[in-house]
Amino acid sequence: MIDRYTLPEMGRVWSDEHKYELWCRVETLVLEAHAAAGRVPADVVEPVRAAPPPTPARVAEIEETTQHDVIAFLTAWADNTEPRSAAAYVHHGMTSSDLLDTALAVQLTEATDVLLAKADRLVAALRDHGLAHRATLRVGRTHGVHAEPVVWGHRVADLAFAMARSRDRLRAARARVGVVAISGAVGTYSLIDPSVEVAVAEALDLRPADASTQVVIRDSVSEWVAALAVIATVCEAVALEVRHGQRTEVRELSEAFGSGQKGSSAMPHKKNPIRSERIAGLARVVRAAVVPVMEGIPLWHERDISHSSTERVFLPDAAITTDYLLHLTTGLVDNLVVDADRMRANLDLTGGLIYTSAVLLELVESGLSREDAYALVQGAAMETWNGGTPFRETLRSRAAASGVALDEARLDEICRPEGYVRNLGPLFDRLAALS
């Protein structure tokens, strides 16, 4: 991922420097387990442990010749080992994927911990914003068309719970990707004792794979990427709400606009939802990772490397982008400008059409058949749509023409927006308890 969208902590997780640090750690843990079991000389452990990781530049230089990244790494690290002869026991009984998959599991869990911390902050931001607007009336929209009165906090609560569930899915996926496989060339422990795998897993606070061939099958990694894609898409749902709310015709919501900020090189009046649009664009990047990574599940027999190049691109990019998305979305929510007066003005924009559902039920409960009541209310509503006459007036006229008596006092009572949200108390209680 380009530097523009890479935050330092997550960028460090996926850096080549950190990858080689993890490779050294895994290889050292394997060597320590061998030495503890008496399979290799005990005096080779300390020189290997003390050897600094090779630089990415040195590994890349050797790989130009070997065309094999793990061999290039082992050679470069051996060059850093004093005496170099101690390095002869590094990678003892292992295959490349023992190292690659185990170190990848560490990277995935490290990346997950960074993401979970940011997801917690976003959940809290959405929760607090929703509670702050539990009484902020606005019009609900279905198909983009005014429907019934709601409160802004209700929409935010829906997004808060969605992000909390998405975070919890990622937490569950962390447990499944956090596995160690130190099982040899085809996963049969032919040249390495299973106790080594157990020891390495314990040292890394991971667990041994249930089974492995030369690799750990990619169902769990696919689940992890899918969890990131869901998080990214919920971030986009937040952003989409803001993008709609900032449209000139709506103007209920807007992103913060800082002193000195510019919206357009040509039009000085512009205040554009650029953060929200960036979230929408980057969510596509994360979703794009799902299928390519999933296609790494079916490999030839015990292993091929068709998954390898895919994962080198998509795993870091998906993690780095999701990290940035969580950061962007939290900032968006924390600094969101809510125009409650405009929300209330838009609520009244259709001349009372938002109350047709309550009027329909009131007429049914007064004795009309549902069919007759629907026909009366819809006819009045269409007249309001087409001519702009307030709904109560068109309803009164059509009811009189049909010989239907209206209880005006009762209609006054039900044509109030507060009545539509009176039952949301338990929802906001649940929101307040969200963590």
Side-chain angles (χ1 to χ4, degrees):
M1 179 51 62
I2 62 175
D3 289 342
R4 181 181 180 91
Y5 305 129
T6 303
L7 300 177
E9 187 178 15
M10 186 63 82
R12 166 68 180 161
V13 170
W14 295 101
S15 67
D16 284 341
E17 291 84 359
H18 185 55
K19 178 177 72 174
Y20 294 139
E21 289 170 0
L22 293 178
W23 287 14
C24 289
R25 185 181 179 195
V26 171
E27 292 282 3
T28 301
L29 289 172
V30 172
L31 187 64
E32 289 172 350
H34 280 317
R39 298 187 194 97
V40 304
D43 60 1
V44 304
V45 174
E46 187 53 40
V48 169
R49 186 188 292 125
T55 65
R58 178 57 178 154
V59 175
E61 180 184 1
I62 297 172
E63 190 180 354
E64 284 293 319
T65 300
T66 63
Q67 294 297 300
H68 194 291
D69 58 345
V70 172
I71 294 174
F73 159 78
L74 293 172
T75 301
W77 193 30
D79 290 342
N80 292 347
T81 305
E82 293 292 340
R84 197 181 193 285
S85 59
Y89 291 96
V90 171
H91 207 66
H92 200 67
M94 296 171 65
T95 191
S96 295
S97 289
D98 290 336
L99 173 60
L100 295 172
D101 279 6
T102 297
L104 177 61
V106 177
Q107 284 181 296
L108 292 173
T109 55
E110 289 178 344
T112 302
D113 292 341
V114 174
L115 293 170
L116 289 174
K118 283 191 172 68
D120 282 342
R121 289 194 286 274
L122 179 52
V123 169
L126 288 165
R127 177 198 64 209
D128 295 347
H129 187 85
L131 291 171
H133 290 281
R134 63 185 298 165
T136 305
L137 286 162
R138 71 191 283 258
V139 68
R141 298 169 174 89
T142 58
H143 308 276
V145 178
H146 286 203
E148 288 185 352
V150 296
V151 287
W152 171 234
H154 174 259
R155 179 70 184 115
V156 178
D158 188 31
L159 297 166
F161 285 115
M163 182 52 66
R165 290 190 298 269
S166 302
R167 173 202 58 195
D168 294 344
R169 290 186 195 100
L170 178 60
R171 183 175 290 117
R174 183 195 189 279
R176 283 188 271 278
V177 296
V179 296
V180 169
I182 309 286
S183 56
V186 290
T188 61
Y189 306 95
S190 58
L191 299 174
I192 196 165
D193 193 274
S195 63
V196 174
E197 184 179 74
V198 173
V200 172
E202 183 177 340
L204 295 175
D205 197 24
L206 303 176
R207 62 180 180 85
D210 297 322
S212 58
T213 55
Q214 193 180 93
V215 296
V216 178
I217 195 168
R218 265 31 190 184
D219 61 305
S220 296
V221 175
S222 298
E223 178 186 2
W224 185 83
V225 173
L228 299 193
V230 173
I231 288 174
T233 306
V234 174
C235 288
E236 184 181 5
V238 176
L240 185 64
E241 200 70 36
V242 176
R243 291 174 67 191
H244 169 73
Q246 195 161 335
R247 290 172 59 211
T248 306
E249 297 82 359
V250 181
R251 293 180 61 191
E252 295 177 357
L253 305 170
S254 61
E255 297 180 5
F257 196 81
S259 176
Q261 184 174 340
K262 305 293 188 291
S264 167
S265 63
M267 297 169 284
H269 72 280
K270 294 297 290 296
K271 293 171 64 175
N272 302 326
I274 57 170
R275 181 184 289 252
S276 298
E277 290 173 341
R278 194 183 316 156
I279 291 168
L282 289 174
R284 299 168 188 167
V285 174
V286 183
R287 287 194 295 270
V290 173
V291 171
V293 172
M294 190 175 293
E295 288 177 346
I297 295 175
L299 301 178
W300 283 21
H301 310 299
E302 277 61 50
R303 188 230 182 172
D304 62 61
I305 63 167
S306 59
H307 66 295
S308 176
S309 54
T310 301
E311 291 176 1
R312 289 171 193 258
V313 174
F314 282 107
L315 296 185
D317 279 9
I320 289 168
T321 307
T322 303
D323 182 55
Y324 185 62
L325 280 168
L326 288 167
H327 166 76
L328 278 182
T329 309
T330 301
L332 175 66
V333 174
D334 282 342
N335 299 293
L336 187 63
V337 178
V338 178
D339 189 337
D341 291 338
R342 181 71 177 191
M343 287 182 171
R344 184 57 194 250
N346 286 342
L347 191 68
D348 299 328
L349 195 62
T350 59
L353 291 181
I354 57 175
Y355 304 118
T356 60
S357 56
V359 172
L360 171 65
L361 293 189
E362 179 65 23
L363 292 175
V364 170
E365 291 171 5
S366 70
L368 262 65
S369 70
R370 184 175 181 87
E371 291 79 4
D372 290 344
Y374 195 101
L376 174 59
V377 174
Q378 186 183 42
M382 293 305 107
E383 186 176 341
T384 296
W385 270 123
N386 295 330
T389 303
F391 171 63
R392 287 284 295 275
E393 292 184 23
T394 60
L395 178 67
R396 191 178 297 116
S397 173
R398 285 177 173 263
S402 302
V404 176
L406 298 177
D407 184 338
E408 294 289 348
R410 177 62 179 156
L411 290 178
D412 287 341
E413 182 180 344
I414 64 175
C415 291
R416 296 175 61 251
E418 292 82 4
Y420 280 77
V421 297
R422 66 186 182 278
N423 294 322
L424 287 177
L427 180 145
F428 285 108
D429 292 342
R430 294 192 296 273
L431 181 63
L434 185 63
S435 62

